[in-house]
Each structure stands twice: as C-alpha cells, then as structure tokens.
Amino acid sequence: MHEAAAILLSLFVIFVAAQIGAEIAQRLKLPGVVGEIVAGCVIGPSALGWIKVDQIASGTPLDVLAEIGVVLLLFSVGLETRLEDLRKVGRSAFMVGVLGVIVPFVFGSMWAHANGFEWNKSLFVAAAFVATSAGITARVLQELGALQRIESRVILGAAVIDDILAMLLLGVVTSLQAGGGVNVGSLVFVLVQAVGFIVVIGWVGTRVMRQKGHWLDRPINPLSPLTLALAICLGLAFLSTEFGLAAIIGAFLAGMIASELTKREELEHQMQPLLAFLTPFFFVVTGAKIDLGVFASGAALWMLLVVTVIAVISKLAGGFLGALSLGRRSAMIVGVGMVPRGEVGVVIASLGLAGGVFSNETYAVIVAMSLLTSIVTPPVLAALLRRQSEDYEQVPPHI
Amino acid sequence: MHEAAAILLSLFVIFVAAQIGAEIAQRLKLPGVVGEIVAGCVIGPSALGWIKVDQIASGTPLDVLAEIGVVLLLFSVGLETRLEDLRKVGRSAFMVGVLGVIVPFVFGSMWAHANGFEWNKSLFVAAAFVATSAGITARVLQELGALQRIESRVILGAAVIDDILAMLLLGVVTSLQAGGGVNVGSLVFVLVQAVGFIVVIGWVGTRVMRQKGHWLDRPINPLSPLTLALAICLGLAFLSTEFGLAAIIGAFLAGMIASELTKREELEHQMQPLLAFLTPFFFVVTGAKIDLGVFASGAALWMLLVVTVIAVISKLAGGFLGALSLGRRSAMIVGVGMVPRGEVGVVIASLGLAGGVFSNETYAVIVAMSLLTSIVTPPVLAALLRRQSEDYEQVPPHI
C-alpha cells in the first residue's frame, strides 16, 4: 500500500511539474518541451530531490513510463510521415546521417586522445558523441506543426541512418575495447540485419497496410484500429531492439506504416490524449537524470563546456554539410535538429562506466552533455523555424 | 538495453493477449473484460508463463501500469457520474454498503472459526471477504452503456461506503490481532478522516469546478482541460491513499468533480484512447496473478470452492437486502455488481500472510477467491442487465 502511494505521488509531482514547466516555457515563447526538461532538473535528485535517483534508474516504473512515452511520441511522428515523403529526401537524409556520424566521431576521438585516453578508449568515448536522439527534435517539430516540412523529413530519415551507424560503431569500439580485432564479417552481418529490418518493415509493412488496412476494423471493439496500431507499435519497438536498433526506430516505422491507413487522421487525433498523458514522463525523467552536481567542480564544468561545444558543433557541421543541397538555411535547421543526443549516448556511457573505460567524472560529463544538447536545441530550432516561415512568405523556397 | 527490450516484449504480449481475449469474449456475447482477465490467466505464471511472477509483483513497472489503468478507468467512470445523481441514491447506496460489509464479515468469520481459526484470527480472515473492488463492475457497466442506470449509481455509491467500512474493519482486526484492545478513539478518528476527505472533496470540489471550471482553459496547451483534470485525478488518487482509502476512490471523486465541467463530453471522448491503451494492463495483470496451481490439490480446490461460494452469496445477500427498495430485479443487479473483490482483499491477505495469521494455502485460496469473484461477476451482471433492459420496454420501472 505504501509503495503504491509513493508511486502515485511521484506520478502526480512529475505530471504537474511538466504542465507548469511547459506553460512557463510557452509564455516565454520557448517550446513546451524545454520547460518539461527543466522541470525535471528542478524536481530531480540534484535539485529539489522530489524524485530520487533510484526512482528513475533503468527498469524502474518511472523509467518504463518514460520509455512508453517516447515510443508513443515517435509512433505519432511516424503517423505524420509517409514513406513516399521520406523517399523523396532519401539522398539528403543519407548524407546527413553519414556525415552527422563521421564528423562527431572524428572530433570526439581527437578530443579524447588529446585528454590522455589511449586510442582504443578514445574511440569508445567518441562513440558516445555520435547518436542523435530523434525524440526531442520530433516533439519540437510537432509542437510547431512543422513535420511536413522538407527539413523535418530529412531529419527523421537521417535519424534512422544515424541509428544504424551508431549501432555499428558501438560494435566496432566494443570489440576493439575487448582487445579483439574487428570482425568484419560479423559487422557486415549486423549492418545487413538492421538495414534488412528497416527495409522489410518499411516497405512490406506500408504495402500490406495499404491493401489490407481495413482488416484493422474487423474486431468488435470500436477503437480497434487504434488498439491494433498500438499493438504493432509495441511489437516493432521490441523487434527493433532485437535488431540492435533503438526502440523508438521501430515505433517510428510502426507509425509510418499506420499512416497508410484511411483512418490516419482519426488515429492522429486519438493519439493526442495518449501523448498528453505519457510524453511528459519522458521529458521530465530525462531532465531529472541530469546530475547538476557535476557543475560543482570547476574542472568538470570546464570539461562539460568543452565536450558540449564539440558535440554541438561537430554534429551541426555534419548535418549542415549533408543537407547543403537544400540551401543554407534549411541545412542549418537540419544541422540543429540533429544536435540532441539522448538515451543512446547515455547507454554507451553506461557501458563505458561498467567496462572501466570511463571514470565517474567522464561518465557524468558525457551524460550531462547528452542532456544539455537536448535543452539547447529546442529554442534554437524553434527560432530558426519561425524565421524561416516568415521568409517563406516573401520568397518561395526552391525544393 | 536488454531490460528495456524485455519490458517492451511483455507490454506487447499483454496488450495483444488483451485484444484477443476481449475479441473472443465479445464474440461469445460476454463482456470484453472477462476475456482480458482470462487472457491474463493464460499468459500468466501458472499457465503459459509468458509473464513471470516477479514481473507482476507489487511495485514492478507492469503492476504500476496496471494501477494507472484502473485509476484512469475509475476517473472516467466518475466523469459519467454527477454528484447530484449519486445523492439521489444516497440512502440505498448506504444500506447496500453497510449490509454488503456486515453479511460477508459475519459469514466469513463463522466459516473461519468453524475451520479451526481462533476468534481473533477468524475476524482477520473475514476482513479479507469484505471489500468490493469497483473496477471490474465499473468496466462492465461502462461497456454496456449502463452507467446512467439507477443500479449503477447505487453500486458506485455503495463502493465508496464499502471502502470506508473495510478500512475501519482492517483497523479493528489488526489491533485485535496485535493483542491490543480496540482503541475506539483512534477508530473514530480514522472514520472521521475518511468521511471528511470524501465529503470535502466531493462537495467542495464539485462547487469549485462548477464556478471556476473555465480556469482549466487558461493554459496555452490546447489539451489543458484534459491534462489538468488528469493531474487532479493523480493527486486525489494519491491523497485518498493517505486517508486510508483505495486510490481508485480518489480517482472516482476526481472524475465526479470533472463531470461538472462544460467540456465534460470532450473529456469523456479524450479518455477513450487512454483507457483503450492502459486498462488492458490492469485486467491482464489481475488475471495473471491468479495462481492456478492451487487447483492441483483436492483439499485446496474444495476450500476455494467453499470460500468463493460463501464470498459470493454473502455479498450478494447483503447487497440485495440493502437495495430491496429498488425492487427485486434491481436489487439483484446491485447485489451481483458488489460481488467482485479485488486488490483490497489481496492486500489484507498479504498482511495476514506476513503477520503469520494465514498459511500459504489460506493465502492462495483467499487471493484466488478475490480474483474468481472478478471472473464470475461480469457475465452474470451483463446477462441480468440485458434481461432487465428488455423488460424496461414492457413495464416502466418505479423509481
């Protein structure tokens, strides 16, 4: 009974903090998501402490709720993205994904080596610089109603490429770290598996859904299109983790498949209450995981600043270069949109800590960097998108 | 990563099992909820084992999701129940609540004493026979669109009374068990506290909402009436546990308060996707908690049968007698609607096990009884309601 009461209290506190944070942010003309993340920092373990560290550790109820929140968010983003639209930007998205991985990896490993890490450890550190987390950017794009813009499609497509490459890179650095050589055969296998998963699900799934989508109406339950689409979402989220990809990639694919349904708009509408209830848990928990204690030491603070600047600029440069064919302004939007790191960076950092590659301090700095990029991006992205929209009215874009 | 994958898989399995179970049940003209509970039994630890015992223990992510599901369910039931309507049935609801506690308590303690328990332990056993869980009945009433019927209002009102009395009784038997006498002063305090909570929240809350409900529209977030109502729901669910009541009572009160909003219908509509996604976790987890292994021993099976029959008949009789002023048929519906025991019975049984009052076998039997009543009720209740509706057309009811 007491345990149940404690969890209800934290659900209440998190949910209310998210509403207040989002409201304040929006009144300051910032995206609501910034307010939710900051609210998480404020009520989290390193400030007010209303949410304790062990309440948001991996596998806890709050962490699982957060995971469900971001999975549903990416599902609904997928719902607003049709395969057709993604295919049109395939080339740019590929370039952005590839350069957005290579540039941060190179800069990250150089920084790490310059700071006294051996080369094989430096590559491990650099791997934590790489992976973009689409959740934050997707929420900002959705909030601003910008998901149909070409830059948004490039970012979402690139996030898929990015995830594949990050996973490959993790394979490489882990085997280097373990002292073994790189087994090219097994890496190719991993790559083929992941690409195969995405292509098969994306291509076959959309076709099946286009032709047999009315089957989702057959059950007696009047909400069956929604519940079955959610079942597909949970199933693909799980399956994508089995193929070494982030759960949100599977959720995104599920949404993209479901966007072929004739009831797509009804689904989008039905997703709104689900997102309103569940995504705040993701953003507040993300904020609560930031260990503000890192800032107490001058050296760590400086390291955090340097690492964050490298992470932001290298990703921005990679994304910008990859998207240059869209014009400079759009390329800038794409570059900024790719900046947020998230759970993948945190996971790699945890592996590094567990494997003895990172000190506690390095770990804290990399986690804080991952999350700082998530706080920095939304306001910049929103400002860029708003300026771009104003210009749209004067000069029609060349697409 | 692996842990996250495991939880996604169980979410998928539970959600899909619920959809299949509900569909089969509905094709067999049974309420969908029966199918969801049975689906839980089937995939649970004692049958297929796709869900493990330690995955649904108290405080696990799945258990918390289940709790959130039933909290939202009772919130939406409250949304369809106005204080005015409840007040009209106040007298009947009070009688049903009181007799529905006294009769099972008397029969339960007699059975326990006849089976060799000392009197003070018998009273403890009997306390586990008492508390009705409104979740199952509420879902059946909602599925059949019967929440506006007078019997439904009596049941929901009685569930509130029932919860107060069950909590008092638990106070009495625990202190008897601990060897101390019953401290009348502290019991009166507990009673006053719980009744005070319900009256203040129900009475003041509805008035405030009627006059200041438009405040919920003030935030920038277009979904703010929903999110703020959900915040109130989580807050009151927590608060009611602090006043010794079940979380679902607070959630029900929150819904009843929110039903005063002019946007009530929009809220009801927005709750549907939330219920469709989250309540299956409650019903499947409820089913999965049934330990089918109990049935392996003939003696335990016999004991389970006897206990379940006593539990069903005594509650039915209490409810029936309390509601007789509504006419026999309606009284029958009310009696059946009160039959499901649920989490409160399970909690009392757990306390008894921990305190050494119950053997493992008695514990398993009482838990299985609590859950069996949940499986037996929905089809009977649905059949009674359907027959009653047909008769409505011939003879108008005397209300």
Side-chain angles (χ1 to χ4, degrees):
Chain A
M1 261 330 215
H2 192 66
E3 200 172 14
I7 190 90
L8 281 168
L9 179 60
S10 34
L11 293 177
F12 173 70
V13 168
I14 290 175
F15 195 72
V16 170
Q19 304 308 315
I20 296 174
E23 182 66 18
I24 293 176
Q26 286 175 314
R27 301 222 165 200
L28 298 172
K29 307 278 179 218
L30 290 169
V33 62
V34 177
E36 294 181 15
I37 298 175
V38 172
C41 287
V42 171
I43 65 169
S46 53
L48 292 177
W50 293 354
I51 304 297
K52 305 271 178 285
V53 173
D54 55 356
Q55 284 183 302
I56 50 174
S58 173
T60 54
L62 290 179
D63 185 60
V64 169
L65 266 182
E67 173 83 3
I68 295 174
V70 73
V71 159
L72 292 182
L73 174 64
L74 269 281
F75 173 75
S76 91
V77 168
L79 215 46
E80 297 183 48
T81 316
R82 302 189 74 156
L83 184 58
E84 280 309 303
D85 304 336
L86 266 195
R87 228 188 258 157
K88 284 184 204 143
V89 297
R91 203 194 171 110
S92 306
F94 184 78
M95 291 302 292
V96 170
V98 171
L99 288 175
V101 162
I102 292 177
V103 180
F105 189 68
V106 169
F107 278 80
S109 49
M110 277 163 49
W111 170 81
H113 192 62
N115 276 267
F117 284 92
E118 297 159 30
W119 270 116
N120 60 351
K121 294 195 176 186
S122 297
L123 297 181
F124 203 111
V125 174
F129 278 63
V130 160
T132 286
S133 168
I136 311 273
T137 296
R139 164 78 182 267
V140 175
L141 297 173
Q142 203 174 42
E143 263 189 76
L144 295 174
L147 278 171
Q148 301 310 325
R149 290 178 63 141
I150 192 163
E151 297 93 339
S152 306
R153 291 181 200 149
V154 170
I155 292 170
L156 292 170
V160 175
I161 311 285
D162 184 288
D163 218 53
I164 299 175
L165 295 178
M167 184 203 56
L168 274 181
L169 214 51
L170 184 62
V172 177
V173 298
T174 328
S175 45
L176 279 178
Q177 182 53 31
V182 177
N183 181 339
V184 176
S186 84
L187 280 180
V188 169
F189 178 70
V190 167
L191 181 66
V192 168
Q193 224 187 6
V195 172
F197 173 76
I198 291 172
V199 169
V200 169
I201 297 295
W203 203 71
V204 177
T206 46
R207 280 176 178 247
V208 169
M209 201 55 99
R210 225 174 282 157
Q211 283 163 26
K212 307 291 181 193
H214 56 278
W215 284 6
L216 299 194
D217 277 318
R218 284 198 183 171
I220 293 174
N221 182 353
L223 287 171
S224 66
L226 175 68
T227 55
L228 296 181
L230 288 171
I232 295 172
C233 168
L234 291 173
L236 290 185
F238 162 69
L239 260 191
S240 70
T241 64
E242 291 294 288
F243 283 83
L245 297 163
I248 56 174
I249 296 293
F252 174 76
L253 289 174
M256 208 177 66
I257 292 171
S259 78
E260 300 293 335
L261 290 170
T262 48
K263 294 207 168 174
R264 164 196 177 169
E265 286 194 12
E266 194 181 327
L267 285 184
E268 279 180 30
H269 198 72
Q270 289 170 328
M271 284 305 293
Q272 286 182 3
L274 280 169
L275 299 183
F277 183 59
L278 289 163
T279 56
F281 294 102
F282 174 69
F283 294 108
V284 172
V285 167
T286 297
K289 282 182 179 168
I290 298 178
D291 181 7
L292 299 173
V294 167
F295 299 95
S297 129
L301 191 58
W302 177 245
M303 185 170 161
L304 175 61
L305 189 71
V306 172
V307 165
T308 306
V309 167
I310 293 175
V312 169
I313 293 195
S314 61
K315 196 71 172 187
L316 184 56
F320 179 81
L321 291 175
L324 253 184
S325 64
L326 305 177
R328 283 180 161 206
R329 288 214 172 162
S330 294
M332 196 66 191
I333 292 175
V334 171
V336 170
M338 297 296 290
V339 162
R341 311 304 201 280
E343 55 287 358
V344 181
V346 173
V347 167
I348 295 179
S350 314
L351 289 174
L353 183 68
V357 183
F358 296 171
S359 67
N360 271 323
E361 199 193 61
T362 314
Y363 168 76
V365 165
I366 288 186
V367 171
M369 172 277 281
S370 291
L371 296 163
L372 266 183
T373 53
S374 305
I375 297 187
V376 174
T377 304
V380 178
L381 186 60
L384 282 174
L385 280 165
R386 285 200 187 107
R387 209 176 54 182
Q388 178 85 323
S389 307
E390 284 161 19
D391 292 353
Y392 259 119
E393 284 154 34
Q394 290 153 7
V395 189
H398 312 277
I399 298 177
Chain B
M1 258 335 210
H2 193 67
E3 200 172 14
I7 190 90
L8 281 168
L9 179 60
S10 35
L11 294 177
F12 173 69
V13 168
I14 291 176
F15 194 72
V16 170
Q19 305 307 318
I20 296 173
E23 182 68 17
I24 294 176
Q26 286 176 315
R27 300 222 166 198
L28 298 172
K29 308 278 179 218
L30 291 169
V33 62
V34 177
E36 293 181 15
I37 298 175
V38 172
C41 288
V42 171
I43 65 169
S46 53
L48 292 179
W50 292 354
I51 303 297
K52 305 270 177 288
V53 173
D54 54 356
Q55 285 183 301
I56 49 175
S58 173
T60 54
L62 291 179
D63 185 60
V64 169
L65 266 181
E67 173 84 3
I68 295 174
V70 73
V71 160
L72 293 182
L73 175 64
L74 268 282
F75 173 76
S76 91
V77 168
L79 215 45
E80 297 183 47
T81 316
R82 302 189 73 156
L83 184 59
E84 279 310 303
D85 305 335
L86 266 195
R87 225 187 262 158
K88 284 183 202 143
V89 298
R91 204 195 171 107
S92 306
F94 185 79
M95 291 302 292
V96 170
V98 171
L99 288 175
V101 163
I102 292 177
V103 181
F105 188 68
V106 169
F107 278 80
S109 49
M110 276 163 49
W111 169 80
H113 192 61
N115 276 267
F117 284 92
E118 298 159 29
W119 269 118
N120 60 352
K121 293 194 177 188
S122 298
L123 297 181
F124 203 111
V125 174
F129 278 62
V130 161
T132 286
S133 168
I136 310 274
T137 296
R139 163 79 183 266
V140 175
L141 296 173
Q142 202 175 42
E143 263 189 77
L144 295 173
L147 278 171
Q148 301 311 324
R149 290 179 62 142
I150 192 162
E151 297 93 340
S152 306
R153 291 180 200 149
V154 171
I155 293 170
L156 292 170
V160 175
I161 312 285
D162 183 288
D163 218 54
I164 298 174
L165 295 177
M167 185 203 55
L168 274 181
L169 214 51
L170 183 62
V172 176
V173 298
T174 329
S175 46
L176 278 178
Q177 182 51 31
V182 178
N183 182 339
V184 177
S186 83
L187 279 179
V188 169
F189 178 70
V190 167
L191 181 65
V192 168
Q193 224 187 5
V195 172
F197 172 75
I198 291 171
V199 169
V200 169
I201 297 295
W203 203 70
V204 177
T206 46
R207 290 191 161 234
V208 169
M209 201 55 99
R210 225 173 282 158
Q211 283 164 24
K212 308 290 180 194
H214 56 278
W215 284 5
L216 299 194
D217 277 318
R218 285 200 182 170
I220 293 174
N221 182 352
L223 288 171
S224 67
L226 174 69
T227 54
L228 296 181
L230 288 172
I232 295 172
C233 168
L234 292 173
L236 290 184
F238 163 69
L239 261 190
S240 70
T241 64
E242 291 295 288
F243 284 82
L245 297 163
I248 56 173
I249 297 293
F252 174 76
L253 289 175
M256 207 176 67
I257 293 171
S259 78
E260 300 292 336
L261 291 171
T262 48
K263 295 207 167 173
R264 164 195 177 168
E265 287 193 13
E266 194 182 326
L267 284 184
E268 279 181 29
H269 198 72
Q270 289 170 327
M271 285 306 292
Q272 286 181 4
L274 280 168
L275 299 183
F277 183 59
L278 289 163
T279 56
F281 293 102
F282 174 69
F283 294 108
V284 172
V285 168
T286 298
K289 282 181 178 168
I290 298 178
D291 181 6
L292 299 174
V294 167
F295 298 95
S297 128
L301 192 58
W302 178 244
M303 185 172 162
L304 174 62
L305 189 71
V306 173
V307 165
T308 306
V309 168
I310 293 175
V312 168
I313 293 192
S314 61
K315 196 70 171 187
L316 185 56
F320 179 81
L321 291 174
L324 253 183
S325 64
L326 304 177
R328 281 177 161 212
R329 289 213 170 162
S330 293
M332 195 67 191
I333 291 175
V334 171
V336 171
M338 297 297 289
V339 163
R341 312 303 202 280
E343 55 287 358
V344 181
V346 174
V347 168
I348 295 179
S350 315
L351 289 175
L353 183 69
V357 183
F358 296 170
S359 67
N360 271 322
E361 199 193 60
T362 314
Y363 169 75
V365 165
I366 288 187
V367 172
M369 173 278 282
S370 291
L371 296 163
L372 265 183
T373 54
S374 305
I375 296 186
V376 175
T377 303
V380 178
L381 186 60
L384 282 174
L385 280 166
R386 286 201 186 106
R387 209 175 58 185
Q388 178 86 324
S389 306
E390 285 161 19
D391 294 353
Y392 258 120
E393 285 154 31
Q394 291 153 6
V395 189
H398 312 278
I399 298 176

